[in-house]
Amino acid sequence: MDLKISERAKLPTKYGDFLIQSFQENREYTKDHLVVFSQKLGNVPLVRLHSECLTGDVFGSLKCDCGTELEYAMKEIVKSKDGGMLIYLRQEGRGIGLFNKVNAYALQDKGRDTIEANLELGFPSDLRDYEIVGEIFRYFGIGEINLLTNNPLKIESIQKYVKVSRTSIIVGCNKHNKDYLQVKKDKMGHLL
Ligand SMILES: [Zn+2]
């Protein structure tokens, strides 16, 4: 993998003080991923893999739980005794990109669920790729993590890189994301 790693910088946030570093993946595309991490990392850091979701992370969309999960993860990392890291992956809309995600939302307005909408646009339900995550763990010398997730597929995808234990992520349900969460549970095996 053609990978460039930025310098490390301080990132004070409303949750606490972190460091930030960018990992630039250069393939047929260029993606600037981010790692936001505690100043001190213990043996088993708490890790959250967060895929970019502009609508949820920035605009406070209630169609998904990404924004709430992001905040929750930052708070939990600050509390974690072994510290932790948030790996922010630039793979918008389960990898289909922002433009296609908006088209998928339009199909959802017509009654399709999240998976049906992606399939109708010609995409698999999930195009996310976690190879970069293996490179990031190798760079930090991390061999074991506590992964903050409800997604068994994520655990499976990164078990080849590190030893993984799991901590559940608990976020609220609202009238806009109820169906979205139900599909995650019924069709994607999420442990809610
Ligand atoms: Zn989202």
Side-chain angles (χ1 to χ4, degrees):
M1 181 183 285
D2 178 4
L3 188 65
K4 279 202 240 166
I5 303 172
S6 76
E7 297 297 322
R8 200 170 273 201
K10 288 178 187 166
L11 186 73
T13 72
K14 61 183 176 183
Y15 311 104
D17 290 337
F18 292 90
L19 296 171
I20 188 167
Q21 200 159 14
S22 180
F23 289 72
Q24 186 180 71
E25 187 180 1
N26 292 294
R27 296 209 244 179
E28 63 273 30
Y29 48 76
T30 295
K31 285 180 181 171
D32 296 344
H33 304 289
L34 291 172
V35 182
V36 174
F37 56 103
S38 313
Q39 319 223 7
K40 275 203 187 124
L41 291 173
N43 290 330
V44 189
L46 184 67
V47 173
R48 174 68 185 164
L49 303 179
H50 187 92
S51 294
E52 175 179 30
C53 173
L54 196 76
T55 46
D57 297 343
V58 176
F59 299 121
S61 163
L62 297 176
K63 280 184 70 69
C64 56
D65 46 4
C66 303
T68 320
E69 283 183 344
L70 182 62
E71 264 196 30
Y72 180 87
M74 296 288 280
K75 287 179 190 159
E76 290 302 304
I77 289 168
V78 168
K79 284 192 266 172
S80 162
K81 75 168 175 33
D82 270 3
M85 54 173 58
L86 183 106
I87 302 179
Y88 193 84
L89 299 163
R90 307 297 298 283
Q91 39 191 10
E92 177 69 59
R94 294 185 178 143
I96 70 174
L98 201 48
F99 184 91
N100 295 314
K101 182 168 104 167
V102 173
N103 279 334
Y105 277 180
L107 286 173
Q108 289 167 32
D109 288 344
K110 294 180 184 145
R112 309 315 185 271
D113 71 30
T114 49
I115 292 176
E116 290 162 355
N118 274 19
L119 295 176
E120 198 164 323
L121 290 170
F123 299 104
S125 62
D126 201 330
L127 271 176
R128 289 178 290 188
D129 168 13
Y130 297 107
E131 195 188 336
I132 180 75
V133 175
E135 299 287 337
I136 291 169
F137 290 145
R138 184 146 17 131
Y139 171 82
F140 281 96
I142 291 171
E144 186 173 356
I145 63 163
N146 182 4
L147 188 67
L148 194 57
T149 190
N150 296 332
N151 185 351
L153 203 68
K154 262 188 198 170
I155 301 171
E156 213 176 288
S157 318
I158 63 164
Q159 255 169 351
K160 49 181 175 271
Y161 310 118
V162 281
K163 188 168 172 221
V164 184
S165 57
R166 184 181 86 94
T167 295
S168 304
I169 186 158
I170 302 146
V171 292
C173 187
N174 66 52
K175 70 177 162 56
H176 303 283
N177 73 9
K178 192 164 100 335
D179 294 344
Y180 163 88
L181 291 174
Q182 198 62 45
V183 168
K184 271 188 166 181
K185 185 169 187 287
D186 296 345
K187 293 196 174 177
M188 300 172 81
H190 277 223
L191 315 155
L192 299 178

